[in-house]
Amino acid sequence: MKLNIALLAGDGIGPEVVDQAVKVCNAIATKFNHEINWTAALTGAAAIDAVGEPYPDSTHEVCMAADAVLFGAIGHPKYDNDPTATVRPEQGLLKMRKKLGLFANVRPTFTFPSLIDNSPLKRERIEGTDLIILRELTGGIYFGERGRKDNGDTAFDTCTYTKEEVVRLAKLGFEMAMQRGKKLCCVDKANVLETSRLWRQTVQAMEKDYPEVTVSYEFVDAVAMRLVQWPNSYDVLITENLFGDILTDEASVISGSMGLMPSSSIGVHTSLFEPIHGSYPQAAGKDIANPLATVLSAAMMFEDAFSLKAEAEAIRTVVNKSLAEGIVTEDLAGKNKAYKTSEVGDWLAKNI
Ligand code: IPM
Ligand code: MN
């Protein structure tokens, strides 16, 4: 099969971790007889430095022409410390989500048997956790009307949702639940927010189309608590943009390492695959960052964008093997030998 993949390495450790995923994908292509055509394009601070724009039109064209996008990370400290900067790397990310129509962010949370004690949570709480948070990604307060009034002393951000936006995301949630544990949790704040009441009403009306799925409705504050108390009681959770942003960071703690968690963003035009971690600027260029989250995002890409399940499984198997054999970067090495980012990538490719 011919696979056209856009490669957006981005900032910080992005290029290093993406390099390892490319090695792994190329090894998979050789083993399974595929031909990958990679097209690199600029995003984030790297794109601002080069062309003054964090998501240039030329990058958008590359993404639109591709069958899938593999993404590293975005963000640079020189912008974090400057609240007056008018062009920021994160704007690129939001623009990309909107223009590619990446309406659903899929973040699985699971535990690795060999790393279960890395989690700050007790083993008996997290064992067996296998949940998916489905975060709406192109609506809500992230994209609503915002501004200042009263000479700048009053600020506002608005949260808006349409029924269509809720249906589109919830449909995906129901379908995923059908393929998994048949449980769906709609996370909202319907005791306070009108948008949440629209979410709840819309999801309730869809229940009849999925009689096998057990649906629960829970307030986001309660979910924030239960997610770390009994994560293994959840299967698929659906939620709006900002709640999802917060809950997915919280959920990453369960697995014990941000460096391991992949994600996908399902789009109207094309889908994007990226690690959930950020650009980790302190580690940039040092060849120490954990590449596994990006490698596992590539596994999601084979499965979800190309329906190549065996290829995805082959990646997951070799990742588990590297963890079991201790071929890991310093964040996971403990007292044992820490391997470089590039060494982990080489080892994975060789073992495929
Ligand atoms: C994420 C990030 C982004 C978000 C930031 C960088 C804009 O935190 O992908 O979760 O808030 O969506
Ligand atoms: Mn976030």
Side-chain angles (χ1 to χ4, degrees), residues 90 93-94 97 107 135 142 245:
E90 289 79 5
L93 193 61
L94 299 180
R97 287 175 182 169
R107 292 197 181 179
R135 165 188 173 192
Y142 271 66
D245 178 46

Side-chain angles (χ1 to χ4, degrees), residues 52-68:
E53 238 257 66
Y55 184 64
D57 289 345
S58 53
T59 298
H60 182 59
E61 277 160 31
V62 168
C63 292
M64 290 295 281
D67 303 318

